[in-house]
Amino acid sequence: MNTVKVKTKEVRFPVSEDLYGLFYEDINRAGDGGIFPEMIRNRSFEDSLVPAGCTTDPDRMVYINRGGWPGCFNHGEGMDEWAENVPYTPVPGWYCDDAEMAVQETDTLNAKRAAALLVKFLPNGRIWNIGYAGASVTENAAYDLTMFIKTGSKAALSVTLEDPSGKVYAEAKTSSDGGEDWQKICLRLVSNGTCHEIRTVITCWSDAEIRFGFTSLLPEDTFCGHGLRKDIVEALMATHPKFLRYPGGCIVEGMSLETAMRFSNTIGEQWERPSHNLMWHYRTTNGFGYHEFLQLCEDTGMAPMYVCNVGMSCQARVSELFDEETVDEFLQEALGALEYALGPADSRYGAMRAAAGHPEPFSMKYFEIGNENRGPAYNERYEKFYKALKEAYPDVIYISNTHTEEDGLPTEMADEHYYSSPEFFMENDNRFDSYDRSGPQIFLGEYAVNGGNTIASMECALAESVFLAGVERNQDIVKLTAYAPLLQNSDYTAWRPNLVVFNNHEVYGIPSYHAISLMAGNRGKVVLESETSGERVPPVYFGVPGIMSARPGVEFRDVKINGQPAAISQMVYGGVSENESTYSFTKADNPHPMTGKNPVWNRTFEEFMASGFFPGMSADKDVCWAVFDGEDLEEYTFEADVRLNSEDDVTLSIWNYHPETDAGCNEPKDPRWNMRSVRNQVWRISGGKGTLEVPSYRTRGEIPSVDLDVRYGEFNNFRIVAKHEGYDCYLNGKLVQSKRHALHDTVYAVATADGDDLILKLIRVGEQCDVRIVLDCEVAPEYTVQTLSAPLDAVNSFENKQNVSVKTFVHDGASSDFVFRTEENSVNVLRFKTK
């Protein structure tokens, strides 16, 4: 029987106060139209402007940064799917009737506005905005419109909130006396009903030429009255978060110097904040800016964590390294962000904070220097930023993107990111057991199951919970965690999965949301010693075998699976020729075309991937890779005679498997097998050495290699015996290397205490089972159980938001030694009262 022993008298360490938090990034239109409840899309009239630092094709389908990375543009509508869902308009989000519209890049509202909208109205002419897949109004609720106009003559205007049939839900009238100055108009509209397909209509009752500088419509009812969408914030708070990481993410780096995040562009009046394109294929006006971030943290008790740009753009999209003068500018931006939060009201940025309604300082507990940056260029910038920031604000905890302590740099906390398959998270519950306790603290800044057979499912939540249980057992060194990404507007998806999904009036959490809420809502004060024993099983891998060579010319023959001749089922890369039953890898033009998006984007993305910048996305043109037979196998023996030269790099791959899930970036995809999409394990033979690797798993440190007695220039027999518990590698009949899988527990546990409350988190992987629970103290017989359980492929949706959700039970019969029966595939929290 599976057994969990809890030793209440052996306290290991206090829990990490801020272990569970949130990571916000403006992705999937999470900001404007999301947590910032703007109801007018393209309120700045700037969406159709080509992103700064980029070029575009003649039809304006894509934009391309200076390094060649392409993003989807569609003349400002963003992703292909978004553009296809609305009628064409030259001004994204805006339409007209008996009027002419044109975007103007001169005579804008202020120096920070890049465009204005010039409208020539006929009598009773109208312009309207369709919002973010419509806007939502509620009966008797009030909405505030702010717009800036300039017109040379008098004009009478009305603003109505209408559904597509023309039914009016609210109306307000205004006028302009004309003149050369911008006129600010504020109107309050109260809805007479509830509708989720609202458009905002502006009607001019006479001939007039009007220039619009900025137009915004916001609900009056917001979270704590501070401008954020209530249901989204309330959903986030249900996860019991202790910190909020802001503003990202890849958007911090930007796709060019011009689109890199600057804190100074996210403060001040909404209409004075410059907009800019995000690499997630749309433009933001930074409605959820730095002040709103700090205010939200104060309103909810979360510790703020700000992420600054360190003087380089996104390294995953051909990084630009900013020159020394510009790096100094970004350092001053970082110092300015800290001063805005922490400085006195008479300081430069503290005065701006006071002018925004908060004379007293906010807090700032954590500060991350860069995002997903690495290498010598990052180290140089990190060291410069760290020294300057630490000297100016020594009480703030500073976070490095990598283990910079390994390069001799001061490192308080290192940020590690994990996006992988369920198997990775299941096999790494003990990942942090062996970390050096004298090293830096660890921040799991981004993690999620984003590959495998299912996405946003119970399977993902279960695997992540196993990983988090291991984190909780190591929270003396792992201090912070945050699932990523956080928010997804279901009508504007650029990445999946995401923790919380919303449209313009509804919100739900994926199963991982409920698992995290359960784990974070039951923390305790101290971590107790506990032991788990019982059934352990190997992971289940399946797939087909393969042979890969870094270049043509490698020969092979007598390929067998389980002693039977095996044929090539597909050439993933390169080609092959046959001569008297001997096969030779040849160079072949078998391109991997990108598909799924508009032809321009497919082609441009394909060219970018073929450039070789993104390792793993496409192979070198010389790489050859064959896989054999087509039936997925779990246990098998694969062998082949292979002739190679000393300079050849040959890989025998095991359990090659290509999942069909659509996860990660919503970009053009290579539908064929490729190095990035195929999951496998490999035996690599290079330079006279053999190395065993799991390419899709991130590991720290070197993977051990062994010397091999390869007879170069002759045929060598390579044999792999793949079994459930691992695999053995034979060279010319001799066992030379072996790998044994880490066995999975089928029950995982971590115990904490808070006074006389004993909390046991117990995760079951598999069918229902009995678990013996042994305590070193007496407890009351009645105890509560919170359980998250569902079939592995179960998901949540707008139609069934609570399909996978936590259920609470009261049980009887607890004692110092008793049996608890788990549900199938479940995350459980048992709470006892100690006597």
Side-chain angles (χ1 to χ4, degrees):
M1 181 181 292
N2 289 292
T3 302
V4 176
K5 295 181 179 180
V6 179
K7 303 177 181 180
T8 62
K9 298 177 179 61
E10 297 183 29
V11 174
R12 297 186 63 202
F13 38 73
V15 301
S16 174
E17 179 183 0
D18 297 337
L19 185 63
Y20 290 97
L22 301 174
F23 162 57
Y24 171 83
E25 180 170 13
D26 199 341
I27 184 173
N28 310 305
R29 291 202 185 274
D32 297 347
I35 193 170
F36 182 75
E38 179 58 65
M39 300 166 68
I40 290 180
R41 182 159 63 87
N42 193 14
R43 63 179 183 166
S44 67
F45 314 110
E46 296 164 340
D47 283 12
S48 57
L49 303 184
V50 178
C54 299
T55 57
T56 187
D57 65 287
D59 295 325
R60 306 176 77 221
M61 302 296 287
V62 303
Y63 55 78
I64 306 168
N65 74 2
R66 283 183 284 262
W69 179 80
C72 199
F73 190 48
N74 282 306
H75 67 275
E77 291 285 2
M79 301 289 297
D80 290 346
E81 299 91 322
W82 311 348
E84 291 166 1
N85 284 336
V86 296
Y88 172 79
T89 171
V91 186
W94 291 91
Y95 297 83
C96 63
D97 189 17
D98 289 330
E100 294 180 4
M101 299 185 302
V103 172
Q104 305 282 298
E105 296 183 48
T106 58
D107 193 12
T108 61
L109 176 62
N110 54 54
K112 296 181 179 180
R113 290 268 66 81
L117 182 67
L118 180 64
V119 183
K120 296 179 181 179
F121 288 98
L122 295 175
N124 302 326
R126 297 152 46 96
I127 63 171
W128 65 89
N129 187 277
I130 60 173
Y132 295 88
S136 179
V137 296
T138 304
E139 187 172 8
N140 297 323
Y143 303 87
D144 294 325
L145 180 98
T146 302
M147 67 179 177
F148 292 84
I149 65 171
K150 181 192 287 190
T151 177
S153 59
K154 293 182 178 181
L157 302 170
S158 69
V159 178
T160 52
L161 305 182
E162 305 178 8
D163 69 12
S165 71
K167 180 181 177 181
V168 175
Y169 284 78
E171 181 175 11
K173 296 179 179 180
T174 187
S175 63
S176 172
D177 293 331
E180 297 182 358
D181 296 328
W182 286 97
Q183 178 182 353
K184 181 182 179 183
I185 295 175
C186 297
L187 299 174
R188 186 171 186 265
L189 296 102
V190 179
S191 178
N192 59 25
T194 297
C195 179
H196 309 307
E197 300 178 282
I198 289 295
R199 55 183 63 179
T200 305
V201 182
I202 302 172
T203 303
C204 183
W205 301 107
S206 61
D207 265 332
E209 185 172 293
I210 301 178
R211 186 177 291 264
F212 292 83
F214 185 88
T215 304
S216 173
L217 181 66
L218 295 167
E220 283 189 358
D221 186 20
T222 59
F223 186 78
C224 291
H226 288 139
L228 301 183
R229 182 168 154 178
K230 288 178 69 174
D231 60 345
I232 290 180
V233 176
E234 289 166 355
L236 300 183
M237 291 306 100
T239 65
H240 312 282
K242 295 297 185 180
F243 68 90
L244 175 59
R245 180 176 175 228
Y246 169 97
C250 295
I251 68 167
V252 170
E253 304 160 274
M255 56 197 169
S256 63
L257 166 62
E258 295 86 347
T259 56
M261 288 291 292
R262 293 176 180 257
F263 125 86
S264 57
N265 288 341
T266 67
I267 56 175
E269 298 286 2
Q270 294 279 330
W271 53 87
E272 292 180 343
R273 299 179 186 180
S275 70
H276 72 278
N277 271 82
L278 305 171
M279 59 188 58
W280 301 117
H281 317 292
Y282 60 92
R283 184 176 288 266
T284 180
T285 59
N286 296 308
F288 181 44
Y290 186 65
H291 185 95
E292 290 79 11
F293 151 67
L294 293 171
Q295 186 67 66
L296 175 60
C297 289
E298 183 175 90
D299 290 341
T300 58
M302 290 187 291
M305 178 192 295
Y306 185 70
V307 185
C308 75
N309 186 293
V310 75
M312 55 204 305
S313 66
C314 182
Q315 286 178 279
R317 293 164 176 86
V318 193
S319 181
E320 294 180 339
L321 301 180
F322 308 161
D323 61 31
E324 186 175 354
E325 181 179 351
T326 308
V327 170
D328 287 340
E329 287 180 17
F330 278 87
L331 175 55
Q332 292 306 310
E333 287 276 331
L335 289 165
L338 284 166
E339 183 177 277
Y340 189 100
L342 303 173
D346 59 356
S347 63
R348 176 189 175 190
Y349 286 109
M352 296 178 70
R353 181 193 67 234
H358 202 286
E360 295 301 317
F362 287 108
S363 66
M364 181 63 71
K365 187 171 183 179
Y366 304 102
F367 197 99
E368 185 161 5
I369 301 172
N371 171 75
E372 290 189 345
N373 298 133
R374 62 196 180 278
Y378 172 68
N379 284 358
E380 177 186 349
R381 288 159 173 77
Y382 167 80
E383 183 176 21
K384 180 174 186 173
F385 274 60
Y386 179 83
K387 288 180 177 178
L389 298 175
K390 193 66 177 177
E391 180 179 357
Y393 297 93
D395 294 333
V396 175
I397 298 170
Y398 295 96
I399 303 170
S400 172
N401 293 173
T402 64
H403 281 268
T404 43
E405 82 282 357
E406 295 175 355
D407 297 310
L409 300 178
T411 310
E412 300 175 28
M413 186 176 287
D415 187 357
E416 298 186 4
H417 295 179
Y418 298 99
Y419 294 102
S420 194
S421 64
E423 292 88 349
F424 170 84
F425 288 96
M426 294 283 291
E427 293 176 17
N428 279 272
D429 73 298
N430 61 353
R431 186 173 191 82
F432 303 102
D433 292 359
S434 60
Y435 271 41
D436 183 0
R437 266 46 187 178
S438 65
Q441 297 177 337
I442 303 300
F443 169 35
L444 298 185
E446 301 179 31
Y447 73 87
V449 172
N450 75 330
N453 299 312
T454 55
I455 291 297
S457 67
M458 182 63 201
E459 180 185 27
C460 305
L462 191 69
E464 292 156 359
S465 297
V466 168
F467 189 69
L468 289 172
V471 166
E472 290 205 18
R473 292 194 300 270
N474 285 279
Q475 55 191 302
D476 59 325
I477 187 168
V478 183
K479 296 298 183 181
L480 308 169
T481 66
Y483 184 98
L486 181 62
L487 294 173
Q488 174 192 346
N489 187 324
S490 61
D491 293 299
Y492 301 95
T493 300
W495 176 285
R496 61 190 299 266
N498 307 272
L499 198 65
V500 173
V501 184
F502 65 91
N503 56 26
N504 66 23
H505 64 288
E506 296 176 286
V507 177
Y508 73 86
I510 66 172
S512 298
Y513 167 91
H514 293 279
I516 291 168
S517 301
L518 182 58
M519 300 281 280
N522 294 278
R523 296 299 323 286
K525 297 294 185 183
V526 294
V527 179
L528 304 176
E529 189 67 46
S530 62
E531 297 176 3
T532 303
S533 60
E535 181 188 13
R536 307 185 76 209
V537 297
V540 176
Y541 294 105
F542 56 88
V544 297
I547 301 175
M548 179 188 295
S549 172
R551 63 176 194 159
V554 171
E555 296 177 326
F556 56 91
R557 67 186 184 190
D558 293 332
V559 180
K560 297 177 182 177
I561 298 176
N562 294 331
Q564 299 299 313
I568 296 173
S569 59
Q570 66 170 303
M571 289 298 304
V572 183
Y573 298 108
V576 66
S577 63
E578 182 183 3
N579 182 20
E580 296 182 354
S581 299
T582 296
Y583 297 87
S584 178
F585 280 135
T586 62
K587 192 169 184 176
D589 184 18
N590 53 349
H592 283 227
M594 297 291 171
T595 63
K597 302 298 177 183
N598 73 66
V600 177
W601 197 15
N602 289 336
R603 185 173 60 254
T604 311
F605 207 79
E606 184 180 330
E607 292 172 355
F608 175 68
M609 292 304 170
S611 71
F613 172 79
F614 229 172
M617 284 295 287
S618 62
D620 182 274
K621 295 186 185 301
D622 289 336
V623 167
C624 302
W625 185 10
V627 293
F628 297 89
D629 284 349
E631 182 180 354
D632 288 336
L633 303 170
E634 293 181 21
E635 295 189 302
Y636 61 89
T637 296
F638 172 66
E639 64 181 310
D641 293 339
V642 182
R643 179 159 58 194
L644 65 160
N645 296 315
S646 59
E647 62 270 25
D648 286 324
D649 187 336
V650 172
T651 298
L652 282 77
S653 47
I654 313 152
W655 295 303
N656 294 282
Y657 173 66
H658 186 239
E660 299 299 330
T661 46
D662 177 21
C665 294
N666 184 8
E667 293 175 336
K669 297 290 193 297
D670 179 355
R672 293 180 52 186
W673 289 34
N674 60 65
M675 287 184 180
R676 186 178 178 89
S677 65
V678 172
R679 290 156 55 188
N680 57 23
Q681 300 192 34
V682 303
W683 181 21
R684 187 182 307 280
I685 296 91
S686 178
K689 294 183 179 294
T691 305
L692 306 181
E693 299 178 3
V694 185
S696 61
Y697 288 3
R698 298 184 181 186
T699 57
R700 295 189 64 217
E702 292 294 323
I703 298 176
S705 300
V706 300
D707 292 327
L708 297 179
D709 185 17
V710 180
R711 300 194 297 264
Y712 288 108
E714 304 177 22
F715 278 102
N716 295 259
N717 179 260
F718 291 90
R719 176 160 52 99
I720 297 175
V721 179
K723 298 173 287 188
H724 283 144
E725 62 267 25
Y727 56 90
D728 298 320
C729 302
Y730 294 81
L731 174 61
N732 296 320
K734 179 181 178 182
L735 177 65
V736 291
Q737 285 183 279
S738 295
K739 181 180 186 295
R740 290 294 173 264
H741 301 314
L743 296 179
H744 288 184
D745 289 327
T746 58
V747 171
Y748 301 80
V750 59
T752 61
D754 183 357
D756 60 357
D757 280 351
L758 173 59
I759 304 167
L760 177 62
K761 295 175 182 174
L762 191 152
I763 302 162
R764 167 60 176 172
V765 179
E767 61 188 15
Q768 286 183 331
C769 79
D770 289 336
V771 177
R772 181 185 176 197
I773 297 175
V774 180
L775 311 174
D776 65 354
C777 66
E778 293 298 325
V779 294
E782 186 174 276
Y783 63 105
T784 61
V785 179
Q786 293 174 278
T787 297
L788 183 73
S789 176
L792 292 179
D793 60 354
V795 298
N796 291 338
S797 65
F798 286 117
E799 293 71 30
N800 195 346
K801 300 181 181 68
Q802 300 295 317
N803 183 44
V804 182
S805 57
V806 175
K807 294 178 175 58
T808 302
F809 308 93
V810 177
H811 288 234
D812 196 40
S815 68
S816 60
D817 192 337
F818 73 104
V819 173
F820 171 74
R821 186 162 184 80
T822 71
E823 294 296 323
E824 180 178 7
N825 297 319
S826 57
V827 183
N828 307 272
V829 175
L830 286 64
R831 295 188 73 110
F832 307 93
K833 282 291 184 182
T834 58
K835 290 185 179 180

